[in-house]
Amino acid sequence: MANKTAESISREEFFYGHKACAGCGGSLAVRAALKVLGKNAVSVLPAGCMSAVGFNFPQLCFSNNSIISTFAGTASMLTGVEAGLRAKGFKDFTAVGFAGDGGTADIGIQALSGAIDRNDNIIYICYDNEAYMNTGIQKSGLTPFGAKTTTTPAGRNIHGNIRPKKNMFEIAAAHDIPYAATASVGYLPDFIAKVKKASQIQGTKYIHVIAPCPTGWGVAPDETVEIAKEVVDSGLWYLAEYENGRFTLNHKPKEFTSVEAYLKKQGRFRHLDDDDIRVITESRDKKWEHINSSFEYSGK
Amino acid sequence: MRPYIREKTAFGFDDVPVNTSFEAGYLVTVNSGWRSIRPVVESTKCVGCEQCYLYCPDGVISIKDGKAQIDYDFCKGCGICAKICRIGAIGMEAER
Ligand SMILES: Cc1ncc(C[n+]2csc(CCOP(=O)(O)OP(=O)(O)O)c2C)c(N)n1
Ligand code: SF4
Ligand code: SF4
Ligand code: SF4
Ligand SMILES: [Mg+2]
């Protein structure tokens, strides 16, 4: 039985034997992207879960060339890797970064902005697990409203994080980047197609992929893929692209699934009351008003 | 298609690299001890659709002769494959 997506990527594994928790969404994103890019991908990973679980000397789980960067320096190291290999005469390679949400939207945003500004020929992938997971679940700029983390605890008066999630996709797009996209590991064929597309475009590419963390989200390890699907189906995340100055929506749920059901499945949201859920639902609806009025729709 | 596991040899001071680079894909330990439940493929049911292969975060599923096959050295027993399989060809069983 032919599986079109499986046929389109390498049979080889490039991220194997890693020490990520069982069911880790970030490791699925890294694994899938490397199977698209192949053995000539040179990957850069800042401090964060994916470097922590991939490089435990002497257990080195990347079988392509890979390097750990400073926490803030994913994009600047990608710039250097690309320039260095080009100067050495290499042609057939892809410089790709895998940074967390903290590493991207907070500490690494300046280096990323600089790389996009120079239009360096790199792919930057943010695997978004919505908190600083490797240091024990602290709030980042991409932690959604209401989520409980160790720095945004849920108490009687304040119900977890009081700030909304930054929109990194549109921040990248606002640089007029050649290609930016959102994705989710719940829709893996879409993510894989976007990584493939990015690899064929010259200049800076940014892909933002939702990658649930069962440990930090408070879901069972076997729920990672479903919850990553549900965040899209409930309209709290969306699959889109930015190219040639235009936004395109790739997937339009016919009817949104329940926001409450999505939230209440997860330990980090279980404390939310009806008012909180209403705030979240209203902000979703506002977002979709914007999407429906200014994004083109590519789908069926 | 995974990198192989190195034989355990005494790791001496001389083997420690002097700089911060080292051979890629160098595996010395397995992850099987992490598992409390294990996925078991029912070969007669499996249609080889490769969905489980695509979604396994550890990449430990391959398709051999049209059937899913699991590398138990590195499977962590997360159960994602069992949920993704639409026809229920993978069951989760307790590790003994
Ligand atoms: C300059 C600097 N500050 C802080 C740290 C500590 N640190 C290591 S990983 C990490 C969390 C990373 O969070 P994120 O980027 O979201 O990736 P995740 O761990 O969630 O995959 C932090 C704070 C560091 N290594 N370097
Ligand atoms: S803490 Fe979360 S992101 Fe980090 S390895 Fe575990 S599941 Fe993955
Ligand atoms: S998803 Fe199920 S049917 Fe498809 S290959 Fe895996 S075990 Fe077989
Ligand atoms: S239980 Fe998890 S790690 Fe093991 S084969 Fe299934 S998806 Fe892969
Ligand atoms: Mg994170």
Side-chain angles (χ1 to χ4, degrees):
Chain A
M1 199 190 238
N3 181 319
K4 256 179 30 206
T5 306
E7 295 297 334
S8 74
I9 57 178
S10 171
R11 290 279 159 193
E12 237 175 288
E13 298 295 338
F14 300 99
F15 189 37
Y16 207 88
H18 57 74
K19 303 293 179 182
C21 313
C24 171
S27 66
L28 176 54
V30 171
R31 169 189 173 237
L34 287 177
K35 282 167 78 74
V36 176
L37 301 174
K39 62 178 180 359
N40 289 352
V42 180
S43 36
V44 172
L45 297 106
C49 274
M50 291 308 109
S51 58
V53 305
F55 304 87
N56 288 280
F57 181 79
Q59 177 107 339
L60 298 171
C61 302
F62 289 93
S63 42
N64 59 312
N65 280 303
S66 291
I67 187 167
I68 305 182
S69 75
T70 59
F71 197 9
T74 314
S76 40
M77 189 172 270
L78 283 169
T79 297
V81 164
E82 193 277 330
L85 288 172
R86 186 159 33 85
K88 283 274 196 183
F90 289 96
K91 290 199 170 70
D92 181 21
F93 70 90
T94 314
V96 60
F98 298 102
D101 46 290
T104 300
D106 299 339
I107 188 166
I109 196 168
Q110 179 187 3
L112 173 59
S113 181
I116 304 175
D117 185 33
R118 293 185 299 271
N119 201 22
D120 292 326
N121 191 24
I122 60 172
I123 304 179
Y124 188 110
I125 298 179
C126 170
Y127 66 94
D128 183 3
N129 51 28
E130 305 195 316
Y132 291 84
M133 294 306 179
N134 192 52
T135 38
I137 324 178
Q138 292 82 24
K139 178 213 175 285
S140 80
L142 294 181
T143 302
F145 175 84
K148 179 176 79 179
T149 68
T150 52
T151 49
T152 56
R156 199 166 349 124
N157 297 316
I158 299 181
H159 301 173
N161 181 25
I162 57 169
R163 298 287 304 147
K165 189 179 172 77
K166 280 189 205 176
N167 192 327
M168 265 316 293
F169 165 58
E170 290 187 25
I171 291 172
H175 291 71
D176 203 13
I177 190 172
Y179 183 72
T182 59
S184 163
V185 298
Y187 285 89
L188 213 51
D190 172 78
F191 173 59
I192 285 171
K194 284 167 175 170
V195 176
K196 177 141 264 173
K197 186 165 176 184
S199 72
Q200 291 155 352
I201 292 172
Q202 182 70 27
T204 311
K205 286 80 60 178
Y206 176 80
I207 301 178
H208 193 117
V209 57
I210 292 288
C213 161
T215 312
W217 290 23
V219 297
D222 66 352
E223 284 173 318
T224 297
V225 171
E226 276 165 47
I227 207 90
K229 214 171 162 294
E230 206 172 332
V231 71
V232 175
D233 298 343
S234 64
L236 292 174
W237 187 248
Y238 54 96
L239 307 180
E241 287 172 299
Y242 174 87
E243 215 184 342
N244 304 319
R246 298 239 271 278
F247 286 99
T248 313
L249 181 69
N250 309 121
H251 173 80
K252 195 182 240 169
K254 275 206 190 71
E255 206 174 306
F256 292 135
T257 58
S258 159
V259 166
E260 180 169 4
Y262 167 76
L263 297 170
K264 291 292 180 171
K265 254 175 220 163
Q266 306 172 49
R268 63 178 177 153
F269 291 124
R270 213 155 279 152
H271 60 278
L272 297 182
D273 63 22
D274 291 349
D275 285 342
D276 300 323
I277 292 168
R278 194 168 32 80
V279 169
I280 293 169
T281 309
E282 280 169 10
S283 81
R284 174 200 69 183
D285 293 345
K286 204 163 144 233
K287 181 74 216 169
W288 277 90
E289 256 173 50
H290 168 71
I291 290 173
N292 287 328
S293 67
S294 53
F295 287 30
E296 287 164 36
Y297 180 48
S298 70
K300 315 110 220 146
Chain B
M1 268 186 262
R2 69 173 213 203
Y4 63 98
I5 309 173
R6 312 288 163 143
E7 250 175 73
K8 261 219 174 76
T9 48
F11 208 79
F13 220 56
D14 294 343
D15 305 312
V16 177
V18 285
N19 58 24
T20 52
S21 63
F22 200 68
E23 195 178 328
Y26 196 98
L27 302 183
V28 293
T29 59
V30 297
N31 295 334
S32 52
W34 292 31
R35 242 181 0 245
S36 56
I37 44 175
R38 70 155 59 199
V40 176
V41 182
E42 213 177 302
S43 289
T44 47
K45 277 195 187 170
C46 173
V47 294
C49 70
E50 305 197 281
Q51 280 297 96
C52 56
Y53 154 76
L54 267 188
Y55 281 91
C56 170
D58 291 81
V60 303
I61 303 180
S62 51
I63 305 292
K64 202 176 168 216
D65 303 327
K67 306 286 177 187
Q69 200 182 43
I70 293 166
D71 175 1
Y72 288 109
D73 277 349
F74 288 98
C75 164
K76 293 173 186 154
C78 67
I80 286 177
C81 53
K83 276 216 168 156
I84 214 89
C85 179
R86 284 215 208 120
I87 54 172
I90 302 181
M92 300 301 294
E93 295 177 5
E95 280 291 340
R96 289 163 305 261

